[in-house]
Amino acid sequence: MRRRRAYTPSMALRAPGSGDAARLSLPARAVRAGRRHWRHFRRHWWWHGVRLVYHEAYSGNLDVVPLDRQRAERVASFLDEEGLLLREDIRIPRHPSLRNLMRVHDSEYLESLQDRETLTRVFGAPVSDAELEQVIEMQRMMVGGTILATILALRNRGVAVNLGGGLHHADRSSGAGFCLFNDVAVAIARLRAKGYRDPVLVVDLDMHDGNGTRSVFARDPTVYTYSLHAEHWSDPEAVASTAIALGGGVSDEVLLGTLLKTLPDVVHTVRPGLVIYIAGTDGAADDALGSWKLSAKGMLRRDQFVMELVRRRGRAVPTVVVLGGGYGDRSWKYTARFAAW
């Protein structure tokens, strides 16, 4: 059967810089491994599919932040070029309702987002009216994307990847670190409101502290937040949390060693019904804002370790992956390697 191609809402999922240049910039071994895993998973009963969540609004940009506005498109285009993506694998989110946003964020804070001064504080530089509208649209849609990804992961008992999200610095009453809404917290709060009662584990391996998510659930023993980061951004205390500050200049050995020593015990103790993995790429040695020294091989091994731990054949936990931080025009390549695998 001939493979059908993947499309965005505009029927054109093709990013500048994709195609041959994108393919050749990634190790062939990662691509071959991705194809082998795809065929292997399709042959086993416990495979329930990987879904990508994407919306054109994810391409919003701010001049004051060195984000790659084409990060999501480049990842999806690479997977499509390599024959790892089918049209039905991509799902399109919609805006979250105000009710869902208010399950986490204070109404006064949400109203303040119409004020440019609020966004200037969050982004650390003046924001124009046009940029204000664009970034609110982008991050609202990413919240909707993470909500949809939790629905898909639980429905299929599989993996859903939101090609955005991971806005982990926003708490109930304020934004920070380029984050206006906390998409992970909103998605979990919505599940709880719908009656979902199983424990949830948030694994946050963005180089920056997952302080907002930890703050939202600081008194909730049913949501365990696990974060390895450079420095604490706020009080690391919570009733169900592991927060480890590793400092700057972290190598592959330090990060992977810390993961090996700490995360398996957390997974065993929590026994989550859902895992949300914030796979930030800002720990890469070539990241524009990061201070860690992780290699491409170390980044991929990190992601593999997490997924192999929570997706074992005997108990494959429904898993949502969100992108988190990653700055500069090379950040998409680490996500693409992970997704191909």
Side-chain angles (χ1 to χ4, degrees):
M1 180 179 293
R2 186 174 181 177
R3 178 176 58 86
R4 289 179 289 174
R5 303 187 68 80
Y7 296 90
T8 63
S10 64
M11 306 300 287
L13 183 54
R14 186 69 59 224
S18 63
D20 290 341
R23 178 164 61 253
L24 293 175
S25 66
L26 292 169
R29 284 181 300 176
V31 177
R32 290 195 297 269
R35 289 179 178 141
R36 288 196 301 272
H37 277 273
W38 189 90
R39 292 192 295 266
H40 173 74
F41 287 151
R42 293 288 187 186
R43 288 197 299 267
H44 287 77
W45 66 267
W46 49 273
W47 167 250
H48 298 278
V50 174
R51 297 289 182 263
L52 296 185
V53 177
Y54 166 80
H55 195 280
E56 292 171 327
Y58 291 7
S59 297
N61 194 34
L62 278 173
D63 291 338
V64 299
V65 181
L67 290 170
D68 177 7
R69 64 179 298 171
Q70 295 159 351
R71 182 181 182 188
E73 292 98 322
R74 284 172 167 157
V75 172
S77 292
F78 171 76
L79 297 175
D80 186 39
E81 290 284 344
E82 296 302 331
L84 299 173
L85 188 64
L86 301 178
R87 180 176 181 178
E88 57 265 29
D89 291 332
I90 293 185
R91 302 301 172 85
I92 303 169
R94 59 186 182 184
H95 287 121
S97 67
L98 179 60
R99 173 181 295 181
N100 281 329
L101 290 175
M102 291 181 64
R103 297 187 196 283
V104 169
H105 297 294
D106 295 341
S107 59
E108 294 82 1
Y109 168 64
L110 294 176
E111 291 175 5
S112 77
L113 294 179
Q114 299 302 318
D115 187 341
R116 283 190 298 165
E117 291 183 2
T118 300
L119 270 70
T120 296
R121 287 194 296 272
V122 173
F123 290 98
V127 175
S128 69
D129 288 336
E131 288 175 323
L132 180 150
E133 182 176 346
Q134 186 180 59
V135 75
I136 290 177
E137 169 69 8
M138 175 180 67
Q139 295 201 10
R140 277 191 66 199
M141 195 61 76
M142 287 182 177
V143 176
T146 301
I147 289 174
L148 177 56
T150 61
I151 294 170
L152 295 172
L154 289 169
R155 177 187 299 163
N156 300 324
R157 297 201 60 78
V159 180
V161 181
N162 183 16
L163 292 176
L167 308 171
H168 59 170
H169 295 310
D171 61 25
R172 293 190 181 279
S173 60
S174 63
F178 314 145
C179 304
L180 301 178
F181 311 104
N182 192 310
D183 58 303
V184 171
V186 171
I188 295 171
R190 176 195 170 276
L191 286 178
R192 292 295 190 235
K194 298 291 185 180
Y196 184 77
R197 293 292 174 259
D198 287 349
V200 177
L201 171 62
V202 179
V203 177
D204 191 336
L205 298 185
D206 190 292
M207 194 209 78
H208 299 94
D209 187 9
N211 61 303
T213 315
R214 183 173 62 247
S215 173
V216 170
F217 299 111
R219 299 179 183 178
D220 186 344
T222 72
V223 178
Y224 198 104
T225 56
Y226 174 98
S227 177
L228 302 184
H229 45 264
E231 300 176 356
H232 295 317
W233 278 37
S234 64
D235 184 358
E237 296 299 321
V239 297
S241 177
T242 296
I244 302 175
L246 296 174
V250 170
S251 64
D252 295 349
E253 293 76 13
V254 170
L255 181 71
L256 295 173
T258 305
L259 271 177
L260 181 62
K261 291 177 182 177
T262 58
L263 187 56
D265 286 343
V266 169
V267 173
H268 177 75
T269 301
V270 176
R271 295 188 62 82
L274 173 69
V275 171
I276 300 180
Y277 175 35
I278 302 177
T281 63
D282 49 2
D286 61 354
D287 188 82
L289 295 183
S291 65
W292 285 1
K293 305 300 180 183
L294 304 181
S295 68
K297 182 178 180 181
M299 293 283 289
L300 180 59
R301 187 66 197 108
R302 175 201 74 170
D303 298 332
Q304 291 172 331
F305 179 83
V306 173
M307 298 303 290
E308 289 169 348
L309 185 61
V310 302
R311 297 287 299 168
R312 292 175 176 172
R313 186 177 301 185
R315 188 174 184 272
V317 182
T319 303
V320 170
V321 179
V322 295
L323 266 56
Y327 306 96
D329 60 6
R330 296 178 60 85
S331 64
W332 72 273
K333 297 182 180 182
Y334 301 102
T335 303
R337 288 187 181 100
F338 176 27
W341 172 81

